[in-house]
Amino acid sequence: MPDAVDAVDPPPPRRKPKPARREIGGRPMKPSTLMMGYGYDPALSEGSLKAPIFLTSTFAFENAAAGKRHFEGITGLREGGAEGLVYSRFNGPNQEILEDRLAVWDGAEDALTFSSGMTAICILMMAYCGQNDVIVHSGPLYAATEGFVAKVLSRFGITYLDFPAGATRAELDAVLAKARAQAEAQGGKVAMIYLESPGNPTNALVDIEAVSDARDAAFPPAQVAAGGSTQECPIAIDNTFLGPLWQRPLEHGADIVAYSLTKYVGGHSDLVAGSIAGAKRWMDPVRALRNTMGGIVDPNTAWMLLRSLETVELRMQRAGENAAKVCAFLQGHPKVEGLGYLGLISDPRQQDIHDRHCLGAGSTFSLFIKGGEAECFAFLDNLTIAKLAVSLGGTETLASHPASMTHLSVPQARKDMLGITDNLVRISVGIEDADDLIADFAQALEHV
Ligand SMILES: Cc1ncc(COP(=O)(O)O)c(C=O)c1O
């Protein structure tokens, strides 16, 4: 007599996932809708509404011919590339769903995830730079990114030129002309223009459209397509501070957008991860290097990020509203010298860039307290709700003192140039009650 297990119908044969729909009634679905299910078919996971965490290092082929077909695709012996999953250093189901959903936010064709923002940035740069090449970058950059360019890539003969975040078209043309000459003298190419906007911790914005125009003028696309002497020079941008909600750089001429997902996207200060997104042709060399080196985000963190993405719009909206209220209070305070907040820009050129590129003012800003380090420390040591910690973009409010913490090792002359003064406190506003936060800042300022 068959037992209960034998009596169960045999499982249906493996099938392809349902095609993911991106529009309804002729209307494209918004990212906030797509975050709940896009890229995942419950029927492939026993009907589980949410994607399970796939903890496996390798994936079984249906038969030997399928294995052969896969490797023919990988090695280029068969056109169309490889389908399906084979080994977890390359990809896995959680990471694939996450990459599909991240691409949605930036309107990108493809995305890649990494174990940290820095892994994403380092592998991206290594994928595009060869020996004797030149990188042109905006300044300031996140300190570890600047360090990677200046101290690590330089070991392979790669040099750099930087320009201030607010550079005009004329200044951009000049730096690209200089970079071309430098590359020719070194026997390399201008490999990449790398931006960070707004810059950390000053919030200075880069004119992405002007950079794109300057790049197209310096390396005319038609000449590049015809295989002329110049080569493609992608524009990559670190969009950690405003993305994915408040700035969509691919719409303004950037080719590749990079993130520390540790910040707003993860959003709960409980994970470390990174990503890049852009057209597939820009992603492919980076994917190939990631396949070789490793560095993909792990399945558990990818799952946490899928959960985070369901609320990223809500969290960022609330944090943005809170920051506007907090800054309105701080702006007129007698102990406050000024604010580096994108909702209260005083420079008309920066305001123009903000108007053209940004959909919000963010929730991370600089607070300049009257005085110096001692006054800032008194303020920080008396905060009750806000925690004294580096990082940003979490549900909780964080405050730090860049001059003595994240930027301590930056030479004084460069700090002066970048406006990283002793009286600067960086604040990342979270999603607490805005009036509670204002009360906390008010009482901490009384101790200054
Ligand atoms: C603007 C920016 N980019 C990149 C990074 C690096 O990201 P991760 O810490 O996830 O490696 C950070 C981290 O603070 C950052 O603020």
Side-chain angles (χ1 to χ4, degrees):
M1 196 168 129
D3 65 20
V5 172
D6 290 336
V8 171
D9 287 341
R14 282 177 69 175
R15 63 170 187 80
K16 291 219 174 287
K18 274 193 215 149
R21 285 192 60 177
R22 298 202 44 174
E23 58 87 40
I24 189 147
R27 176 195 143 79
M29 284 189 250
K30 293 278 163 48
S32 50
T33 306
L34 292 169
M35 289 310 108
M36 308 313 163
Y38 180 67
Y40 172 65
D41 181 354
L44 294 181
S45 298
E46 308 284 350
S48 172
L49 180 75
K50 293 295 183 193
I53 303 176
F54 288 85
L55 289 178
T56 183
S57 60
T58 191
F59 297 84
F61 292 106
E62 273 176 72
N63 50 44
K68 183 177 177 190
R69 204 167 51 245
H70 185 91
F71 281 93
E72 283 172 345
I74 287 188
T75 50
L77 288 176
R78 192 174 47 78
E79 274 189 27
E83 281 170 12
L85 297 164
V86 60
Y87 188 59
S88 294
R89 194 178 74 241
F90 307 151
N91 219 329
N94 298 105
Q95 295 92 328
E96 279 195 337
I97 302 165
L98 175 62
E99 291 174 351
D100 286 351
R101 292 191 191 169
L102 287 170
V104 164
W105 280 104
D106 277 298
E109 191 183 0
D110 200 2
L112 297 170
T113 53
F114 298 85
S115 58
S116 73
M118 281 317 300
T119 314
I121 292 164
C122 295
I123 297 186
L124 167 68
M125 289 182 171
M126 281 191 286
Y128 279 96
C129 294
Q131 202 178 4
N132 302 330
D133 284 351
V134 177
I135 289 190
V136 178
H137 74 77
S138 63
L141 297 179
Y142 177 61
T145 309
E146 265 187 25
F148 184 71
V149 173
K151 296 185 191 144
V152 181
L153 291 181
S154 59
R155 301 207 314 249
F156 306 98
I158 297 162
T159 61
Y160 69 92
L161 284 172
D162 63 348
F163 60 88
T168 60
R169 172 67 199 273
E171 289 166 329
L172 291 165
D173 286 341
V175 77
L176 288 184
K178 199 168 161 196
R180 273 186 79 153
Q182 190 163 312
E184 270 160 36
Q186 287 173 194
K189 62 183 183 301
V190 182
M192 172 173 276
I193 302 173
Y194 184 87
L195 316 175
E196 188 175 309
S197 183
N200 177 7
T202 55
N203 261 351
L205 293 167
V206 179
D207 190 339
I208 308 165
E209 287 166 352
V211 172
S212 171
D213 291 345
R215 185 272 311 266
D216 290 349
F219 308 101
Q223 201 177 329
V224 173
S229 60
T230 53
Q231 291 132 69
E232 281 198 299
C233 173
I235 299 170
I237 176 166
D238 184 331
N239 198 34
T240 298
F241 270 55
L242 288 183
L245 209 64
W246 297 310
Q247 184 168 252
R248 294 166 59 88
L250 300 185
E251 293 174 1
H252 301 285
D255 301 301
I256 301 164
V257 60
Y259 286 96
S260 167
L261 300 176
T262 314
K263 311 298 188 301
Y264 286 100
V265 176
H268 296 72
S269 305
D270 56 5
L271 61 84
V272 174
S275 67
I276 61 167
K280 189 171 171 308
R281 73 185 178 98
W282 293 120
M283 297 297 102
D284 282 345
V286 190
R287 187 193 332 270
L289 190 56
R290 187 188 68 175
N291 284 353
T292 303
M293 295 180 67
I296 191 168
V297 69
D298 69 274
N300 190 69
T301 306
W303 185 92
M304 289 170 76
L305 283 160
L306 290 176
R307 188 175 176 147
S308 292
L309 279 177
E310 296 187 5
T311 57
V312 68
E313 186 175 79
L314 285 177
R315 287 184 282 102
M316 291 182 79
Q317 274 169 353
R318 164 80 170 214
E321 285 160 19
N322 277 357
K325 290 178 190 165
V326 165
C327 287
F329 161 76
L330 291 171
Q331 187 190 17
H333 196 284
K335 304 258 175 84
V336 171
E337 191 179 281
L339 287 170
Y341 168 57
L342 293 176
L344 295 167
I345 299 174
S346 51
D347 174 39
R349 188 172 146 67
Q350 284 284 306
Q351 184 64 52
D352 171 53
I353 300 174
H354 187 265
D355 293 345
R356 283 185 287 119
H357 290 5
C358 305
L359 301 163
S363 84
T364 302
F365 61 90
S366 305
L367 166 65
F368 297 92
I369 294 181
K370 284 183 184 161
E373 185 183 278
E375 286 74 13
C376 289
F377 280 18
F379 172 73
L380 289 168
D381 287 343
N382 284 287
L383 287 170
T384 302
I385 299 172
K387 301 286 179 291
L388 177 56
V390 300
S391 202
L392 61 120
T395 46
E396 67 291 294
T397 298
L398 299 181
S400 64
H401 187 247
S404 67
M405 295 167 70
T406 46
H407 292 70
L408 183 63
S409 59
V410 176
Q412 191 58 45
R414 184 149 174 84
K415 273 194 221 174
D416 294 344
M417 200 186 91
L418 299 175
I420 301 169
T421 51
D422 281 345
N423 72 337
L424 187 165
V425 170
R426 194 185 72 172
I427 295 173
S428 164
V429 169
I431 64 169
E432 303 93 336
D433 179 81
D435 291 332
D436 286 349
L437 288 175
I438 290 170
D440 192 23
F441 289 130
Q443 65 81 26
L445 281 168
E446 275 169 28
H447 291 85
V448 171

